[in-house]
Amino acid sequence: MLCRAIAAAGRQVTDGGSRDQGGGVAGHWLFAALAVFGVASNLLMLAGPLFMLVVYDIVLPAGSTETLVVLLLMLAAAQAVQSLVDLSRSRMLARMGAMLRQDEIAPAAFAGAAGAAQSGATVQAFLGSAAALAVLDLPFLPVMLGVLFLFHPLMGALAIGGMAVLAAIGGVERHLARGPRRRLDLAAASAAEELARAGPAAEYLAATGQGGAAARRWRRHDTAAMIAHLRLGDTTAACAVASRGVRVFLQSATIALGAGLAIRGELTGGAMVAGSLLMSRILGPFEQGMTAVPQALRVWRMHRAARRRAAATPPAPPLPGPARVAAEGLAVTMGEGARPVLSGIEFAVGPGQILLILGRSGAGKTMLLRVIAGLLPASAGRVTVGGGNSVPHREGPSAVLGYLPTHPAFCAGTVAEAIAGDAHAPGGGEPMRTAARQAARAAGVEMALLSLPQGFETSVPEAETRLSKGQLHRMALARALAGRPDILLLDDPDIAHDPEGFAILAAALRSARARGASVIVTARQAQLLPLADLVLLIEGGRMQAFGPVGQVMAGLSRRASAVGTAAPASAPRGEVA
């Protein structure tokens, strides 16, 4: 059974497979084998105390050397089998961790679930550690304790008292370590952030002479982390020494108690020695389990959260109707009791229409686009896409959407994969490269990408070092245009800020309109206004106006004439007031 479980799990992990029927069978075999081998390991752990009991109470009085040799060989065989069983349990847990990480957790990271990859690595590391075995062995401690009670109730009571003392020491350690651990996490995170920022900004810091100030800030955070680390280490070491002293004393106290009971004729000499050995087999796993259980609970919560994130990332369905986007009474609040950052947003854009969302920086344009893309849940109202179905909140945009964020980022594949990956060319290969070239041509970056060392097969990290910032933004636009999406969302496209880029963007928008796509573009300035059919004005998270461009502009002109000014004096030049 073990070989079958490990082989099936190994095939699933090495194949990088999904959770298919074979993976499910492997998981069931692993759970069954873990349960059986857990029982076997803990029963075999009693071999040592039983050997002591028989040697002292039977072999020594009988003076039988042959019996002693046979018992010793049996003990060696039992301990060899127990070692193999424990090795097999460790291997099974390691494979379970790999299966969970690969099939349930890590894929969520590539669907946009923040921290999913780290969660997967943490779960896998825990299941591959001795702490996982300690947690699995905790249910068998009552069996060990029951055997000790069979020797004598006082020995069982002594074991319970020792467990209570160890639990109290563990509680004191957690209480004393809470503050230093919190300060260590904060200071270490701040120091790591300083180092992370110093790398990309090294030339700027050197040119402006700010390197010394950055180094002093890092040293301040690192010193705080070092002090917290030392205090945490002192607390942990003190409690560890106290726990070890209690365990050593209790083992000696068990012998003393057994000797006293033997003198009174209530216990045999073999039971006295076996009870001492059994006491160590109880207290050691109990102390290890006290540390492992909180860790297991944290890992379990992390695993459940990662699975919820993965479940909240459904596969992108086909567009359920025409390329239409509408918002009704949309509001977004970032925290309970907080002021809404978006409220009262209502609009509709249909096939072959371009909606321009205008507003100052911080008006809420990016947040509105994230809600439309399904990246952020609405607190009130709803956004509908296609045939009237509400947009589901997912950790990544739907495949029916072409999405260009304000700060685009790419994964570490090839340029072709970054532009037209699985969402637009599931088979990869030549269809993917063709789709990538078509999108790059529409974004005006095809020749720049072909000039890379391997063209569209160049790795993204290498392309990022060779392309300019403007070319990278055009590459991001190509990714949004790949696959000719029915709905195109562009968040303040950077390429619109120079004449050549504006011409490329205008051509892409007209092409999308011509094929019947719904296009939504955000901007702070009004140079894209001639390309738009509809305009939505946002200020302070609230809708100020929505409708056809001519109608909205005429309304604004009448309002400006009524107050005797064309725009408020506080409006920045070039931005929409």
Side-chain angles (χ1 to χ4, degrees), residues 133-168:
L133 283 178
V135 173
L136 291 179
D137 287 339
L138 282 179
F140 298 99
L141 281 182
V143 177
M144 304 283 185
L145 199 58
V147 173
L148 199 57
F149 268 101
L150 288 178
F151 288 169
H152 198 281
L154 288 180
M155 299 187 77
L158 181 62
I160 291 178
M163 293 166 68
V165 173
L166 290 177

PDB file of all heavy atoms in Angstrom, residues 133-168:
ATOM      1  N   LEU A 133       4.778  15.338  12.066  1.00  0.00           N
ATOM      2  CA  LEU A 133       4.702  14.018  12.699  1.00  0.00           C
ATOM      3  C   LEU A 133       4.336  14.135  14.174  1.00  0.00           C
ATOM      4  O   LEU A 133       3.592  13.297  14.706  1.00  0.00           O
ATOM      5  CB  LEU A 133       6.036  13.288  12.550  1.00  0.00           C
ATOM      6  CG  LEU A 133       6.338  12.683  11.175  1.00  0.00           C
ATOM      7  CD1 LEU A 133       7.715  12.038  11.184  1.00  0.00           C
ATOM      8  CD2 LEU A 133       5.282  11.651  10.801  1.00  0.00           C
ATOM      9  N   ALA A 134       4.861  15.170  14.842  1.00  0.00           N
ATOM     10  CA  ALA A 134       4.533  15.356  16.260  1.00  0.00           C
ATOM     11  C   ALA A 134       3.039  15.599  16.446  1.00  0.00           C
ATOM     12  O   ALA A 134       2.418  15.077  17.389  1.00  0.00           O
ATOM     13  CB  ALA A 134       5.333  16.527  16.831  1.00  0.00           C
ATOM     14  N   VAL A 135       2.431  16.378  15.556  1.00  0.00           N
ATOM     15  CA  VAL A 135       0.992  16.626  15.643  1.00  0.00           C
ATOM     16  C   VAL A 135       0.210  15.336  15.411  1.00  0.00           C
ATOM     17  O   VAL A 135      -0.766  15.040  16.105  1.00  0.00           O
ATOM     18  CB  VAL A 135       0.579  17.706  14.627  1.00  0.00           C
ATOM     19  CG1 VAL A 135      -0.937  17.860  14.591  1.00  0.00           C
ATOM     20  CG2 VAL A 135       1.219  19.043  14.992  1.00  0.00           C
ATOM     21  N   LEU A 136       0.641  14.537  14.432  1.00  0.00           N
ATOM     22  CA  LEU A 136      -0.063  13.286  14.140  1.00  0.00           C
ATOM     23  C   LEU A 136       0.047  12.290  15.293  1.00  0.00           C
ATOM     24  O   LEU A 136      -0.833  11.437  15.468  1.00  0.00           O
ATOM     25  CB  LEU A 136       0.501  12.662  12.866  1.00  0.00           C
ATOM     26  CG  LEU A 136       0.210  13.409  11.556  1.00  0.00           C
ATOM     27  CD1 LEU A 136       0.860  12.685  10.391  1.00  0.00           C
ATOM     28  CD2 LEU A 136      -1.291  13.538  11.324  1.00  0.00           C
ATOM     29  N   ASP A 137       1.136  12.379  16.067  1.00  0.00           N
ATOM     30  CA  ASP A 137       1.338  11.426  17.171  1.00  0.00           C
ATOM     31  C   ASP A 137       0.617  11.830  18.452  1.00  0.00           C
ATOM     32  O   ASP A 137       0.508  11.011  19.379  1.00  0.00           O
ATOM     33  CB  ASP A 137       2.829  11.275  17.466  1.00  0.00           C
ATOM     34  CG  ASP A 137       3.539  10.466  16.387  1.00  0.00           C
ATOM     35  OD1 ASP A 137       2.851   9.717  15.667  1.00  0.00           O
ATOM     36  OD2 ASP A 137       4.777  10.592  16.267  1.00  0.00           O
ATOM     37  N   LEU A 138       0.136  13.083  18.537  1.00  0.00           N
ATOM     38  CA  LEU A 138      -0.513  13.525  19.771  1.00  0.00           C
ATOM     39  C   LEU A 138      -1.718  12.673  20.167  1.00  0.00           C
ATOM     40  O   LEU A 138      -1.913  12.395  21.358  1.00  0.00           O
ATOM     41  CB  LEU A 138      -0.923  14.999  19.640  1.00  0.00           C
ATOM     42  CG  LEU A 138       0.203  16.032  19.809  1.00  0.00           C
ATOM     43  CD1 LEU A 138      -0.339  17.435  19.629  1.00  0.00           C
ATOM     44  CD2 LEU A 138       0.844  15.894  21.195  1.00  0.00           C
ATOM     45  N   PRO A 139      -2.573  12.225  19.237  1.00  0.00           N
ATOM     46  CA  PRO A 139      -3.721  11.404  19.662  1.00  0.00           C
ATOM     47  C   PRO A 139      -3.331  10.087  20.318  1.00  0.00           C
ATOM     48  O   PRO A 139      -4.179   9.464  20.988  1.00  0.00           O
ATOM     49  CB  PRO A 139      -4.476  11.154  18.337  1.00  0.00           C
ATOM     50  CG  PRO A 139      -4.089  12.294  17.455  1.00  0.00           C
ATOM     51  CD  PRO A 139      -2.666  12.584  17.809  1.00  0.00           C
ATOM     52  N   PHE A 140      -2.083   9.644  20.126  1.00  0.00           N
ATOM     53  CA  PHE A 140      -1.666   8.380  20.716  1.00  0.00           C
ATOM     54  C   PHE A 140      -1.086   8.548  22.119  1.00  0.00           C
ATOM     55  O   PHE A 140      -0.793   7.553  22.791  1.00  0.00           O
ATOM     56  CB  PHE A 140      -0.631   7.696  19.818  1.00  0.00           C
ATOM     57  CG  PHE A 140      -1.167   7.341  18.458  1.00  0.00           C
ATOM     58  CD1 PHE A 140      -0.921   8.156  17.371  1.00  0.00           C
ATOM     59  CD2 PHE A 140      -1.928   6.194  18.277  1.00  0.00           C
ATOM     60  CE1 PHE A 140      -1.412   7.839  16.122  1.00  0.00           C
ATOM     61  CE2 PHE A 140      -2.434   5.860  17.030  1.00  0.00           C
ATOM     62  CZ  PHE A 140      -2.183   6.687  15.940  1.00  0.00           C
ATOM     63  N   LEU A 141      -0.902   9.781  22.581  1.00  0.00           N
ATOM     64  CA  LEU A 141      -0.377   9.992  23.933  1.00  0.00           C
ATOM     65  C   LEU A 141      -1.284   9.400  25.011  1.00  0.00           C
ATOM     66  O   LEU A 141      -0.784   8.850  26.006  1.00  0.00           O
ATOM     67  CB  LEU A 141      -0.149  11.484  24.183  1.00  0.00           C
ATOM     68  CG  LEU A 141       1.121  12.092  23.576  1.00  0.00           C
ATOM     69  CD1 LEU A 141       1.247  13.557  23.949  1.00  0.00           C
ATOM     70  CD2 LEU A 141       2.358  11.333  24.027  1.00  0.00           C
ATOM     71  N   PRO A 142      -2.616   9.505  24.898  1.00  0.00           N
ATOM     72  CA  PRO A 142      -3.452   8.853  25.914  1.00  0.00           C
ATOM     73  C   PRO A 142      -3.210   7.350  26.021  1.00  0.00           C
ATOM     74  O   PRO A 142      -3.355   6.770  27.113  1.00  0.00           O
ATOM     75  CB  PRO A 142      -4.880   9.161  25.440  1.00  0.00           C
ATOM     76  CG  PRO A 142      -4.756  10.433  24.664  1.00  0.00           C
ATOM     77  CD  PRO A 142      -3.432  10.326  23.982  1.00  0.00           C
ATOM     78  N   VAL A 143      -2.851   6.695  24.917  1.00  0.00           N
ATOM     79  CA  VAL A 143      -2.547   5.260  24.980  1.00  0.00           C
ATOM     80  C   VAL A 143      -1.309   5.030  25.833  1.00  0.00           C
ATOM     81  O   VAL A 143      -1.288   4.134  26.709  1.00  0.00           O
ATOM     82  CB  VAL A 143      -2.343   4.707  23.551  1.00  0.00           C
ATOM     83  CG1 VAL A 143      -1.954   3.227  23.604  1.00  0.00           C
ATOM     84  CG2 VAL A 143      -3.602   4.896  22.723  1.00  0.00           C
ATOM     85  N   MET A 144      -0.263   5.839  25.583  1.00  0.00           N
ATOM     86  CA  MET A 144       0.952   5.728  26.398  1.00  0.00           C
ATOM     87  C   MET A 144       0.648   6.013  27.871  1.00  0.00           C
ATOM     88  O   MET A 144       1.146   5.331  28.779  1.00  0.00           O
ATOM     89  CB  MET A 144       2.006   6.723  25.898  1.00  0.00           C
ATOM     90  CG  MET A 144       2.355   6.598  24.445  1.00  0.00           C
ATOM     91  SD  MET A 144       3.424   5.198  24.154  1.00  0.00           S
ATOM     92  CE  MET A 144       3.759   5.419  22.409  1.00  0.00           C
ATOM     93  N   LEU A 145      -0.178   7.026  28.088  1.00  0.00           N
ATOM     94  CA  LEU A 145      -0.527   7.385  29.462  1.00  0.00           C
ATOM     95  C   LEU A 145      -1.325   6.265  30.125  1.00  0.00           C
ATOM     96  O   LEU A 145      -1.147   5.968  31.322  1.00  0.00           O
ATOM     97  CB  LEU A 145      -1.334   8.682  29.446  1.00  0.00           C
ATOM     98  CG  LEU A 145      -1.425   9.478  30.750  1.00  0.00           C
ATOM     99  CD1 LEU A 145      -0.044   9.867  31.252  1.00  0.00           C
ATOM    100  CD2 LEU A 145      -2.279  10.722  30.550  1.00  0.00           C
ATOM    101  N   GLY A 146      -2.191   5.618  29.355  1.00  0.00           N
ATOM    102  CA  GLY A 146      -2.967   4.502  29.906  1.00  0.00           C
ATOM    103  C   GLY A 146      -2.080   3.343  30.314  1.00  0.00           C
ATOM    104  O   GLY A 146      -2.322   2.695  31.352  1.00  0.00           O
ATOM    105  N   VAL A 147      -1.040   3.054  29.518  1.00  0.00           N
ATOM    106  CA  VAL A 147      -0.107   1.984  29.876  1.00  0.00           C
ATOM    107  C   VAL A 147       0.614   2.332  31.168  1.00  0.00           C
ATOM    108  O   VAL A 147       0.821   1.465  32.043  1.00  0.00           O
ATOM    109  CB  VAL A 147       0.896   1.757  28.729  1.00  0.00           C
ATOM    110  CG1 VAL A 147       1.978   0.761  29.152  1.00  0.00           C
ATOM    111  CG2 VAL A 147       0.179   1.261  27.484  1.00  0.00           C
ATOM    112  N   LEU A 148       0.984   3.609  31.337  1.00  0.00           N
ATOM    113  CA  LEU A 148       1.652   4.022  32.564  1.00  0.00           C
ATOM    114  C   LEU A 148       0.723   3.890  33.764  1.00  0.00           C
ATOM    115  O   LEU A 148       1.152   3.495  34.872  1.00  0.00           O
ATOM    116  CB  LEU A 148       2.136   5.469  32.416  1.00  0.00           C
ATOM    117  CG  LEU A 148       3.227   5.937  33.387  1.00  0.00           C
ATOM    118  CD1 LEU A 148       4.450   5.052  33.303  1.00  0.00           C
ATOM    119  CD2 LEU A 148       3.607   7.379  33.107  1.00  0.00           C
ATOM    120  N   PHE A 149      -0.549   4.180  33.601  1.00  0.00           N
ATOM    121  CA  PHE A 149      -1.522   3.984  34.677  1.00  0.00           C
ATOM    122  C   PHE A 149      -1.666   2.499  35.020  1.00  0.00           C
ATOM    123  O   PHE A 149      -1.950   2.145  36.176  1.00  0.00           O
ATOM    124  CB  PHE A 149      -2.880   4.568  34.282  1.00  0.00           C
ATOM    125  CG  PHE A 149      -3.081   5.994  34.721  1.00  0.00           C
ATOM    126  CD1 PHE A 149      -2.921   7.045  33.831  1.00  0.00           C
ATOM    127  CD2 PHE A 149      -3.427   6.286  36.043  1.00  0.00           C
ATOM    128  CE1 PHE A 149      -3.110   8.356  34.231  1.00  0.00           C
ATOM    129  CE2 PHE A 149      -3.614   7.592  36.448  1.00  0.00           C
ATOM    130  CZ  PHE A 149      -3.451   8.635  35.538  1.00  0.00           C
ATOM    131  N   LEU A 150      -1.519   1.624  34.020  1.00  0.00           N
ATOM    132  CA  LEU A 150      -1.593   0.190  34.302  1.00  0.00           C
ATOM    133  C   LEU A 150      -0.438  -0.256  35.197  1.00  0.00           C
ATOM    134  O   LEU A 150      -0.596  -1.165  36.023  1.00  0.00           O
ATOM    135  CB  LEU A 150      -1.571  -0.598  32.988  1.00  0.00           C
ATOM    136  CG  LEU A 150      -2.843  -0.533  32.132  1.00  0.00           C
ATOM    137  CD1 LEU A 150      -2.665  -1.322  30.850  1.00  0.00           C
ATOM    138  CD2 LEU A 150      -4.056  -1.066  32.915  1.00  0.00           C
ATOM    139  N   PHE A 151       0.734   0.383  35.000  1.00  0.00           N
ATOM    140  CA  PHE A 151       1.845   0.065  35.896  1.00  0.00           C
ATOM    141  C   PHE A 151       1.484   0.434  37.331  1.00  0.00           C
ATOM    142  O   PHE A 151       1.633  -0.372  38.240  1.00  0.00           O
ATOM    143  CB  PHE A 151       3.107   0.805  35.457  1.00  0.00           C
ATOM    144  CG  PHE A 151       3.728   0.259  34.203  1.00  0.00           C
ATOM    145  CD1 PHE A 151       4.735   0.949  33.551  1.00  0.00           C
ATOM    146  CD2 PHE A 151       3.319  -0.954  33.663  1.00  0.00           C
ATOM    147  CE1 PHE A 151       5.315   0.453  32.405  1.00  0.00           C
ATOM    148  CE2 PHE A 151       3.895  -1.460  32.515  1.00  0.00           C
ATOM    149  CZ  PHE A 151       4.897  -0.749  31.869  1.00  0.00           C
ATOM    150  N   HIS A 152       1.028   1.683  37.526  1.00  0.00           N
ATOM    151  CA  HIS A 152       0.556   2.123  38.837  1.00  0.00           C
ATOM    152  C   HIS A 152      -0.116   3.482  38.664  1.00  0.00           C
ATOM    153  O   HIS A 152       0.397   4.347  37.937  1.00  0.00           O
ATOM    154  CB  HIS A 152       1.707   2.240  39.840  1.00  0.00           C
ATOM    155  CG  HIS A 152       1.236   2.252  41.259  1.00  0.00           C
ATOM    156  ND1 HIS A 152       0.705   3.377  41.874  1.00  0.00           N
ATOM    157  CD2 HIS A 152       1.193   1.263  42.204  1.00  0.00           C
ATOM    158  CE1 HIS A 152       0.378   3.099  43.115  1.00  0.00           C
ATOM    159  NE2 HIS A 152       0.656   1.813  43.359  1.00  0.00           N
ATOM    160  N   PRO A 153      -1.243   3.733  39.326  1.00  0.00           N
ATOM    161  CA  PRO A 153      -1.926   5.040  39.186  1.00  0.00           C
ATOM    162  C   PRO A 153      -1.056   6.228  39.567  1.00  0.00           C
ATOM    163  O   PRO A 153      -1.186   7.299  38.971  1.00  0.00           O
ATOM    164  CB  PRO A 153      -3.129   4.895  40.127  1.00  0.00           C
ATOM    165  CG  PRO A 153      -3.385   3.429  40.199  1.00  0.00           C
ATOM    166  CD  PRO A 153      -2.035   2.779  40.120  1.00  0.00           C
ATOM    167  N   LEU A 154      -0.183   6.058  40.573  1.00  0.00           N
ATOM    168  CA  LEU A 154       0.661   7.180  40.979  1.00  0.00           C
ATOM    169  C   LEU A 154       1.632   7.586  39.866  1.00  0.00           C
ATOM    170  O   LEU A 154       1.949   8.764  39.700  1.00  0.00           O
ATOM    171  CB  LEU A 154       1.430   6.828  42.250  1.00  0.00           C
ATOM    172  CG  LEU A 154       0.589   6.758  43.533  1.00  0.00           C
ATOM    173  CD1 LEU A 154       1.463   6.395  44.726  1.00  0.00           C
ATOM    174  CD2 LEU A 154      -0.109   8.097  43.774  1.00  0.00           C
ATOM    175  N   MET A 155       2.130   6.608  39.108  1.00  0.00           N
ATOM    176  CA  MET A 155       3.030   6.940  38.005  1.00  0.00           C
ATOM    177  C   MET A 155       2.273   7.697  36.912  1.00  0.00           C
ATOM    178  O   MET A 155       2.794   8.652  36.321  1.00  0.00           O
ATOM    179  CB  MET A 155       3.655   5.666  37.439  1.00  0.00           C
ATOM    180  CG  MET A 155       4.496   4.890  38.456  1.00  0.00           C
ATOM    181  SD  MET A 155       5.389   3.505  37.736  1.00  0.00           S
ATOM    182  CE  MET A 155       6.726   4.349  36.940  1.00  0.00           C
ATOM    183  N   GLY A 156       1.028   7.299  36.642  1.00  0.00           N
ATOM    184  CA  GLY A 156       0.219   8.038  35.682  1.00  0.00           C
ATOM    185  C   GLY A 156      -0.071   9.450  36.161  1.00  0.00           C
ATOM    186  O   GLY A 156      -0.028  10.410  35.373  1.00  0.00           O
ATOM    187  N   ALA A 157      -0.360   9.595  37.459  1.00  0.00           N
ATOM    188  CA  ALA A 157      -0.619  10.923  38.013  1.00  0.00           C
ATOM    189  C   ALA A 157       0.616  11.801  37.925  1.00  0.00           C
ATOM    190  O   ALA A 157       0.535  13.006  37.641  1.00  0.00           O
ATOM    191  CB  ALA A 157      -1.089  10.805  39.465  1.00  0.00           C
ATOM    192  N   LEU A 158       1.810  11.210  38.146  1.00  0.00           N
ATOM    193  CA  LEU A 158       3.048  11.979  38.029  1.00  0.00           C
ATOM    194  C   LEU A 158       3.246  12.465  36.598  1.00  0.00           C
ATOM    195  O   LEU A 158       3.670  13.611  36.366  1.00  0.00           O
ATOM    196  CB  LEU A 158       4.232  11.114  38.460  1.00  0.00           C
ATOM    197  CG  LEU A 158       5.613  11.786  38.407  1.00  0.00           C
ATOM    198  CD1 LEU A 158       5.668  12.987  39.348  1.00  0.00           C
ATOM    199  CD2 LEU A 158       6.717  10.787  38.753  1.00  0.00           C
ATOM    200  N   ALA A 159       2.913  11.621  35.620  1.00  0.00           N
ATOM    201  CA  ALA A 159       3.041  12.024  34.219  1.00  0.00           C
ATOM    202  C   ALA A 159       2.090  13.175  33.896  1.00  0.00           C
ATOM    203  O   ALA A 159       2.471  14.140  33.219  1.00  0.00           O
ATOM    204  CB  ALA A 159       2.758  10.843  33.299  1.00  0.00           C
ATOM    205  N   ILE A 160       0.861  13.106  34.396  1.00  0.00           N
ATOM    206  CA  ILE A 160      -0.097  14.191  34.141  1.00  0.00           C
ATOM    207  C   ILE A 160       0.386  15.486  34.779  1.00  0.00           C
ATOM    208  O   ILE A 160       0.292  16.574  34.192  1.00  0.00           O
ATOM    209  CB  ILE A 160      -1.488  13.793  34.669  1.00  0.00           C
ATOM    210  CG1 ILE A 160      -2.060  12.664  33.821  1.00  0.00           C
ATOM    211  CG2 ILE A 160      -2.433  14.989  34.665  1.00  0.00           C
ATOM    212  CD1 ILE A 160      -3.404  12.168  34.291  1.00  0.00           C
ATOM    213  N   GLY A 161       0.928  15.386  36.002  1.00  0.00           N
ATOM    214  CA  GLY A 161       1.463  16.577  36.656  1.00  0.00           C
ATOM    215  C   GLY A 161       2.615  17.171  35.867  1.00  0.00           C
ATOM    216  O   GLY A 161       2.724  18.402  35.711  1.00  0.00           O
ATOM    217  N   GLY A 162       3.494  16.325  35.352  1.00  0.00           N
ATOM    218  CA  GLY A 162       4.607  16.824  34.545  1.00  0.00           C
ATOM    219  C   GLY A 162       4.133  17.490  33.265  1.00  0.00           C
ATOM    220  O   GLY A 162       4.658  18.537  32.866  1.00  0.00           O
ATOM    221  N   MET A 163       3.124  16.931  32.625  1.00  0.00           N
ATOM    222  CA  MET A 163       2.561  17.547  31.412  1.00  0.00           C
ATOM    223  C   MET A 163       1.960  18.910  31.726  1.00  0.00           C
ATOM    224  O   MET A 163       2.087  19.856  30.941  1.00  0.00           O
ATOM    225  CB  MET A 163       1.518  16.615  30.799  1.00  0.00           C
ATOM    226  CG  MET A 163       2.114  15.322  30.250  1.00  0.00           C
ATOM    227  SD  MET A 163       0.864  14.045  29.888  1.00  0.00           S
ATOM    228  CE  MET A 163       0.011  14.805  28.510  1.00  0.00           C
ATOM    229  N   ALA A 164       1.318  19.024  32.886  1.00  0.00           N
ATOM    230  CA  ALA A 164       0.745  20.310  33.277  1.00  0.00           C
ATOM    231  C   ALA A 164       1.836  21.354  33.488  1.00  0.00           C
ATOM    232  O   ALA A 164       1.693  22.522  33.084  1.00  0.00           O
ATOM    233  CB  ALA A 164      -0.092  20.150  34.542  1.00  0.00           C
ATOM    234  N   VAL A 165       2.952  20.952  34.120  1.00  0.00           N
ATOM    235  CA  VAL A 165       4.054  21.894  34.338  1.00  0.00           C
ATOM    236  C   VAL A 165       4.651  22.322  33.004  1.00  0.00           C
ATOM    237  O   VAL A 165       4.930  23.515  32.769  1.00  0.00           O
ATOM    238  CB  VAL A 165       5.127  21.259  35.242  1.00  0.00           C
ATOM    239  CG1 VAL A 165       6.357  22.165  35.325  1.00  0.00           C
ATOM    240  CG2 VAL A 165       4.575  21.015  36.638  1.00  0.00           C
ATOM    241  N   LEU A 166       4.853  21.372  32.088  1.00  0.00           N
ATOM    242  CA  LEU A 166       5.399  21.724  30.770  1.00  0.00           C
ATOM    243  C   LEU A 166       4.444  22.638  30.006  1.00  0.00           C
ATOM    244  O   LEU A 166       4.888  23.571  29.317  1.00  0.00           O
ATOM    245  CB  LEU A 166       5.665  20.451  29.971  1.00  0.00           C
ATOM    246  CG  LEU A 166       6.824  19.570  30.460  1.00  0.00           C
ATOM    247  CD1 LEU A 166       6.915  18.305  29.626  1.00  0.00           C
ATOM    248  CD2 LEU A 166       8.143  20.337  30.402  1.00  0.00           C
ATOM    249  N   ALA A 167       3.150  22.387  30.119  1.00  0.00           N
ATOM    250  CA  ALA A 167       2.175  23.254  29.453  1.00  0.00           C
ATOM    251  C   ALA A 167       2.223  24.662  30.029  1.00  0.00           C
ATOM    252  O   ALA A 167       2.111  25.655  29.297  1.00  0.00           O
ATOM    253  CB  ALA A 167       0.770  22.661  29.590  1.00  0.00           C
ATOM    254  N   ALA A 168       2.394  24.771  31.353  1.00  0.00           N
ATOM    255  CA  ALA A 168       2.489  26.089  31.982  1.00  0.00           C
ATOM    256  C   ALA A 168       3.730  26.837  31.503  1.00  0.00           C
ATOM    257  O   ALA A 168       3.684  28.041  31.207  1.00  0.00           O
ATOM    258  CB  ALA A 168       2.509  25.949  33.496  1.00  0.00           C
TER     259      ALA A 168
END
